[in-house]
Each structure stands twice: as structure tokens, then as C-alpha cells.
Amino acid sequence: MRDVTGQVPAEPARGLVTFDEPFTRLLCQGMVLNHIYSRKTDKGAIEYFWPDEVEDIHDDTGRVTGAKVRADGSHVEYNGVGTMSKSKNNGVDPQALIDRYGADTARLFVMFASPPEQTLEWSDTGVEGAQRFLRRLWAFAHSVAALPSDAEWPDSIRAS
């Protein structure tokens, strides 16, 4: 970022800081993708629907060909997968995710679902899988903590 004079504010040569840039390279992050559903209104505008408001319609091969609104059964178009956007009603509220699954599950899913420089297709089942993994890890940690201090460790988990 540059200031109004066009210079980098934290540049050591300006005397504002005493250290060089701590990062050696820039990591451009990918986008998070989700399903998009829409239909044209009577006036020609496009109305978007949240993925949890619709039910997918599949063909014989299992491919999504359309969708219908859960509330009234009316038809909507399936526009494929695109970048998350508030205007397209396909974003995921991070606070709702944290309230339902916990912050650790949300972090684990985002960190391990895809390399950071690639796009990530959002998956509620992926979030649920991350939560199951953390539950198993937590149960294992508690079982190890409950062992007596003089317990014999199996060779497969003994520290080397």
C-alpha cells in the first residue's frame, strides 16, 4: 500500500520503521465458490435464491439440471458454481458456521479443503467431515490423557 505521495509508508529508508519487509513473496489466494440459483422476474430483473432455499433437480446421471423453491415449489434456474457473492445470495455467513460447528471446525475446513492459491468449492458436507475429525481427535486426546502415567505406549505412537 502506498500513501498519498506514492511511497510505501513502512519503507525503512523513510525512517518510520527499522526493519525490512518480513515476507519474501506474495501469496494470491483463490476464490471460494458456491452454487448459484436464479430466475427472471416479470419485469426482466434477475432474482437470486440462497442454496438452502432450493431443492436441486437431477437428471438420470445425477447432474443438476435445475431447482425448485422449497417454500412454493416454483422452478428456478441452476447457474452452476460461481464465486460467493452477497448479490447472488450464495455466500456463507461465517458467524452462523461458527455458531453451529465452532471456530476450530470452520478454521480446519477452510485451511485443508483446498490449497490457498486455488479455488475452493464450498461444501457443507466437508464442514461436517471436519467436525467429525475434530471430535475423533478430541476423544483420542482425552483417552490418552486418562491413561496412568506409567502406562505402556504401543510402538506405533511411542515418541522417538
Side-chain angles (χ1 to χ4, degrees), residues 58-122:
H58 302 273
D59 63 10
D60 295 338
T61 64
R63 190 175 62 94
V64 179
T65 58
K68 61 182 178 179
V69 180
R70 292 181 196 269
D72 62 10
S74 61
H75 181 74
V76 294
E77 295 294 320
Y78 174 66
N79 303 115
V81 176
T83 55
M84 282 191 182
S85 167
K86 289 189 285 184
S87 64
K88 293 180 182 173
N89 287 352
N90 70 338
V92 174
D93 179 14
Q95 190 58 53
L97 184 72
I98 291 168
D99 292 344
R100 182 170 180 187
Y101 297 105
D104 290 335
T105 298
R107 286 186 199 111
L108 183 72
F109 174 73
V110 170
M111 287 190 318
F112 292 105
S114 173
E117 63 275 357
Q118 294 181 3
T119 58
L120 159 67
E121 186 172 332
W122 188 260

Side-chain angles (χ1 to χ4, degrees), residues 18-35:
T18 59
F19 54 87
D20 286 328
E21 174 65 48
F23 301 102
T24 57
R25 68 182 184 99
L26 173 66
L27 173 65
C28 295
Q29 296 179 325
M31 300 296 290
V32 181
L33 309 176
N34 203 357
H35 301 279

